[in-house]
C-alpha cells in the first residue's frame, strides 16, 4: 500500500500543493480533497489549513496533519481536529518573505504619503507633499515567530524603528523586542 497524502487548501493553491508534493514524493499517492472519492479515503497525512470535521471523519487513519497557515489557533479551536492527531505547522512555506514585502510596501506607502498623492490625482491636484523620515514612523510587529521576525528584520533594515512583541523573550538585531 502506497503512502497517501490528501491536500485540503481553501485558497485555491490545492493543485499546486498536490503537484509539488507528488514531484517531491514520487512513490506517494497525492490528491486534493475535491478529488477524494471512496476509493481514496483513508489518507495517511493531511496538508492544508482548517478543513473541518467532515475531512477528519473521512480520514480517520491520519498519522499527522500539516497546516499551511501562519498559525494553528483556528485549527486547534475548531473542535474538528481529533484530539490525539499530531499537528505540524509548516514553518514558513515562503510566507515570511511575502508578508515582509507586503508590510514594507504598506509602511513606505504611508510614510511617503502615496495615498494622499492618489487622492490629489483624483482631484487633479499636483502638489508636492512633505514626507516625514522613516525614523518618525515606528512600526509594531505582534508575534516574533518565523514570519514576524522576518517582517521585523525587513522593516528595520529599511530604516523604520521596529518594536517587536512576543510571548517569550527574543533577540533580533535592530529591533526593540518586548515580551
Amino acid at each position: 500500500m502506497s503512502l497517501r497524502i490528501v491536500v485540503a487548501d481553501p485558497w485555491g493553491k490545492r493543485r499546486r500543493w498536490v503537484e509539488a508534493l507528488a514531484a517531491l514524493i514520487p512513490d506517494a499517492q497525492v490528491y486534493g480533497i475535491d478529488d477524494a472519492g471512496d476509493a481514496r479515503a483513508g489518507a495517511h497525512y493531511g496538508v492544508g489549513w482548517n478543513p473541518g470535521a467532515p475531512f477528519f471523519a473521512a480520514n480517520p487513519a491520519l498519522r499527522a496533519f500539516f497546516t499551511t497557515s501562519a498559525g494553528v489557533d483556528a485549527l486547534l479551536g475548531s473542535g474538528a481536529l481529533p484530539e490525539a492527531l499530531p499537528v505540524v505547522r509548516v514553518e514558513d512555506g515562503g510566507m515570511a518573505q511575502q508578508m515582509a514585502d507586503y508590510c514594507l510596501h504598506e509602511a513606505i506607502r504611508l510614510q511617503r504619503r502615496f495615498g494622499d498623492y492618489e487622492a490629489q490625482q483624483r482631484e487633479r491636484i499636483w502638489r508636492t507633499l512633505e514626507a516625514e523620515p522613516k525614523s518618525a514612523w515606528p512600526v509594531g510587529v505582534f508575534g516574533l515567530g518565523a514570519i514576524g521576525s522576518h517582517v521585523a528584520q525587513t522593516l528595520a533594515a529599511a530604516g523604520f524603528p521596529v518594536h517587536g512583541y512576543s510571548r517569550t523573550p527574543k533577540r533580533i538585531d535592530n529591533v526593540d523586542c518586548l515580551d
Side-chain angles (χ1 to χ4, degrees):
M1 175 158 73
S2 72
L3 181 66
R4 290 185 305 280
I5 303 169
V6 61
V7 177
D9 185 72
W11 294 303
K13 297 181 182 173
R14 177 179 48 87
R15 183 58 40 211
R16 287 176 34 200
W17 275 97
V18 167
E19 290 169 1
L21 288 169
L24 290 168
I25 313 168
D27 293 337
Q29 181 184 12
V30 184
Y31 52 93
I33 192 171
D34 294 337
D35 304 331
D38 292 335
R40 293 205 253 186
H44 298 108
Y45 296 97
V47 177
W49 180 65
N50 187 3
F55 170 84
F56 292 111
N59 294 285
L62 286 178
R63 298 174 188 163
F65 185 78
F66 293 79
T67 181
T68 58
S69 75
V72 296
D73 293 344
L75 178 63
L76 296 177
S78 71
L81 186 69
E83 191 173 314
L85 183 65
V87 174
V88 180
R89 186 172 65 88
V90 175
E91 184 82 1
D92 182 343
M95 289 185 287
Q97 187 59 52
Q98 292 173 25
M99 189 62 74
D101 289 346
Y102 175 79
C103 292
L104 180 59
H105 165 81
E106 285 302 311
I108 291 172
R109 177 177 163 71
L110 292 168
Q111 180 258 336
R112 296 287 305 276
R113 302 182 66 182
F114 291 151
D116 294 337
Y117 278 115
E118 289 168 358
Q120 279 191 21
Q121 184 179 21
R122 285 190 295 276
E123 299 296 321
R124 298 185 163 287
I125 297 170
W126 312 105
R127 191 173 30 218
T128 301
L129 301 172
E130 193 72 30
E132 292 179 309
K134 290 177 185 173
S135 60
W137 283 83
V139 177
V141 177
F142 292 87
L144 295 173
I147 294 174
S149 62
H150 190 73
V151 168
Q153 289 170 324
T154 299
L155 289 163
F160 289 95
V162 179
H163 306 280
Y165 303 89
S166 178
R167 284 184 273 182
T168 58
K170 306 281 186 196
R171 268 187 73 109
I172 301 171
D173 290 342
N174 302 313
V175 175
D176 179 25
C177 296
L178 305 163
D179 60 89

